[in-house]
Amino acid sequence: MEILRTPDERFADLPDFPYPPRYVEVDDLDGGRLRVAYVEDGPADGETVLLLHGEPSWSFLYRRMIPVLAAAGLRVVVPDLVGFGRSDKPAQQEDHSYGRHVEWLRQVLFDQLDLRAVTVVGQDWGGLLGLRLVGEHPDRFARVVAANTGLPTGDHAMSEAFLAWQRFAAAADRFEVGRVVQNGTVTGLPADVVAAYDAPFPDDSYKAGPRVFPSLVPTRPDDPAAAANRAAWGGLARFDKPFLTAFSDGDPITGGGDRVFRAVVPGAHGMPHTTLAGGGHFLQEDVGPELARVVVDLIAATP
């Protein structure tokens, strides 16, 4: 497996993101090793909040939430998925699969960081991967906050907005990550913030992950990841710990997906589910502090 590593200087002077990177290594499942980055803030003995980003963003997406959570006395852990941020980037699209990314993340969170009693916040692919792990390893998790995400099995039609995004990612001549994030927000992003989303990708050779991720989402029942996702739904259907949905009101990709979780997951019954006004797909940019306070309130109310 050919692995690319973004030069450190690409991450100089990031706006409002002073957190030094930490690193662990995992088995790349192809005879080598991958270096995976994460940032951490808050007291080491606080309850652990795990923030999982999606496609094509990185941990920088959570910079408006991390200070709110840390100030509430929570330990905040924010990894960069393989292929994104400061983490290593397998160079070929064929090196990426849904199953591999689940296993790479599992190794980071459980084998390397040994996280337990976790409150996980998953948005976009952060939910597609995080919810798989919740379904497969429920004992590791104390609470779940699902935000603009899902766990598709290919048994139900995806939105036309998602299918259009899938086609674009596969075929577009130019794939500008910062512009993709801007297009998924309601608020205008300053130039230095857009540049921070572009930072992990010096050129197109680094973008195999962002390019291929949309095609890895199961859109048919016989998709390679469909069976494992169905099995994870079985785990979620038995998950009776607090499960909260906090979707935004302006996401054409995942809008309405919160209803499935509220119907299926026992831990979602009777919870104060919320819809955050004024948020697009990347609600962390638009209403990040508000989402952080939802998480703080959930943890305070469910000791």
Side-chain angles (χ1 to χ4, degrees):
M1 187 183 295
E2 179 188 0
I3 303 296
L4 302 178
R5 182 171 294 174
T6 304
D8 289 342
E9 56 265 26
R10 294 278 300 182
F11 301 101
D13 301 319
L14 295 168
D16 302 316
F17 198 70
Y19 312 103
R22 308 183 187 197
Y23 298 99
V24 295
E25 286 196 352
V26 300
D27 183 347
D28 72 359
L29 310 178
D30 194 38
R33 305 287 288 174
L34 288 165
R35 191 180 76 167
V36 179
Y38 69 102
V39 299
E40 185 169 328
D41 197 22
D45 61 350
E47 289 211 43
T48 299
V49 177
L50 171 67
L51 305 177
L52 295 178
H53 73 84
E55 136 89 356
S57 60
W58 59 294
S59 56
F60 177 78
L61 177 69
Y62 282 102
R63 73 194 180 284
R64 302 187 67 215
M65 294 180 59
I66 294 171
V68 177
L69 298 168
L74 302 169
R75 177 195 180 198
V76 190
V77 178
V78 198
D80 290 334
L81 300 178
V82 171
F84 299 83
R86 293 184 174 103
S87 291
D88 283 351
K89 298 168 181 67
Q92 303 303 316
Q93 292 189 24
E94 310 86 71
D95 295 331
H96 298 262
S97 72
Y98 200 138
R100 277 184 167 181
H101 276 276
V102 171
E103 174 57 19
W104 289 333
L105 186 60
R106 187 203 64 77
Q107 290 183 57
V108 170
L109 303 182
F110 303 156
D111 296 350
Q112 297 299 319
L113 300 181
D114 194 27
L115 300 185
R116 299 176 185 274
V118 174
T119 298
V120 59
V121 180
Q123 180 263 341
D124 191 86
W125 266 92
L128 270 72
L129 298 174
L131 292 170
R132 264 280 293 271
L133 292 176
V134 173
E136 294 172 353
H137 306 276
D139 56 304
R140 290 278 185 162
F141 296 90
R143 304 171 194 85
V144 176
V145 177
N148 290 0
T149 192
L151 187 62
T153 62
D155 297 313
H156 306 283
M158 301 292 286
S159 69
E160 180 52 40
F162 173 78
L163 296 176
W165 160 240
Q166 194 178 55
R167 292 190 295 268
F168 171 84
D173 291 335
R174 298 179 65 184
F175 191 94
E176 300 177 46
V177 169
R179 180 172 293 184
V180 168
V181 176
Q182 173 65 93
N183 289 343
T185 63
V186 173
T187 50
L189 301 181
D192 58 350
V193 170
V194 174
Y197 285 113
D198 287 324
F201 311 104
D203 59 52
D204 284 348
S205 68
Y206 289 77
K207 298 178 184 177
R211 281 280 196 176
V212 77
F213 256 44
S215 68
L216 300 181
V217 176
T219 56
R220 61 182 195 277
D222 61 346
D223 184 277
N229 277 13
R230 284 189 205 102
W233 269 109
L236 292 175
R238 297 184 294 273
F239 189 81
D240 59 3
K241 301 170 192 174
F243 189 111
L244 186 70
T245 60
F247 281 45
S248 69
D249 65 349
D251 182 15
I253 303 291
T254 65
D258 49 343
R259 293 193 295 267
V260 180
F261 295 118
R262 297 200 301 265
V264 172
V265 182
H269 299 163
M271 295 296 293
H273 302 290
T274 186
T275 300
L276 294 165
H281 180 65
F282 297 104
L283 75 170
Q284 300 96 323
E285 282 288 353
D286 297 315
V287 290
E290 292 87 342
L291 177 58
R293 285 190 284 271
V294 168
V295 178
V296 171
D297 291 346
L298 173 67
I299 293 172
T302 55

